[in-house]
Amino acid sequence: MSGVVDDGPVARATLYRTASGGRLHLRGCSHLTWTAADKVLAATLADRAEAELCAACDDEIHGRGRTVFASLDAAFEALNLPVANRARMREIAAHIDFDVVWAPASRSYVGVGFDDGRPAAAYFNRGFVDVYRGPNDYERTEMPNFGGGGGPGARRAPAKEAAMCPSCSMQLPAAGTCDDCD
């Protein structure tokens, strides 16, 4: 199957791709977690017609494999998000409207929003929060202990080459198994 089928929930989803990638993803997808922000591109109509949707994101969009939590704190605890980041994450959440808190089957982030097909209001990751601002527009707030960024001149450890899936050539999540192929 080529191209994303634009059924209701998929048509409303804001999708992204990497500069070199072949699959489409939601912004919070674990396949994009360590991809530099300037390498994550909003999917165009042509991308939607030509590229397939990541299996984990397809499940997320259709509500399969997700765990719903009673509260943001319950999700933070269940996913073991860094305690040092939680107060700042709660401050950010206080300015966001949402009525459902979930984590995908990969448990790579906590999502908040509404269960009506709208894009996620925010994604809470271990070291940053992406807050929805409009179509194809998420504002990232990095936590003080986030190790994935830094501006020009920032001191960084030598880059470690990302592990890639031998079947689909996507970057593997930290668990080392491909969400699409395994």
Side-chain angles (χ1 to χ4, degrees), residues 32-167:
L32 301 179
T33 300
W34 300 111
T35 304
D38 64 335
K39 303 289 187 216
V40 177
L41 308 171
T44 64
L45 291 175
D47 293 331
R48 284 175 173 266
E50 296 169 10
E52 290 195 32
L53 185 61
C54 159
C57 294
D58 185 59
D59 286 344
E60 171 64 24
I61 289 169
H62 291 95
R64 297 184 300 258
R66 75 168 37 175
T67 302
V68 176
F69 295 94
S71 70
L72 198 56
D73 283 329
F76 289 169
E77 188 66 27
L79 272 67
N80 199 27
L81 293 187
V83 173
N85 296 345
R86 294 181 191 181
R88 178 68 181 122
M89 290 179 168
R90 283 186 208 98
E91 288 174 12
I92 293 169
H95 300 284
I96 301 170
D97 290 328
F98 61 92
D99 66 4
V100 65
V101 179
W102 74 90
S106 67
R107 299 177 73 83
S108 57
Y109 63 84
V110 173
V112 299
F114 297 92
D115 231 356
D116 62 3
R118 286 185 270 177
Y123 296 106
F124 294 84
N125 291 274
R126 297 197 180 287
F128 59 91
V129 178
D130 287 330
V131 177
Y132 183 77
R133 296 291 177 213
N136 302 326
D137 184 17
Y138 280 82
E139 179 182 328
R140 176 163 289 180
T141 301
E142 294 179 354
M143 300 294 109
N145 62 357
F146 179 61
R155 298 181 78 191
R156 298 180 191 176
K160 191 167 140 181
E161 189 169 319
M164 304 301 279
C165 175
S167 298

Side-chain angles (χ1 to χ4, degrees), residues 6-52:
D6 274 347
D7 64 3
V10 175
R12 291 187 298 269
T14 302
L15 301 175
Y16 297 86
R17 65 175 182 81
T18 62
S20 62
R23 293 192 188 263
L24 302 181
H25 307 272
L26 293 169
R27 185 65 184 102
C29 181
S30 61
H31 289 118
L32 301 179
T33 300
W34 300 111
T35 304
D38 64 335
K39 303 289 187 216
V40 177
L41 308 171
T44 64
L45 291 175
D47 293 331
R48 284 175 173 266
E50 296 169 10
E52 290 195 32

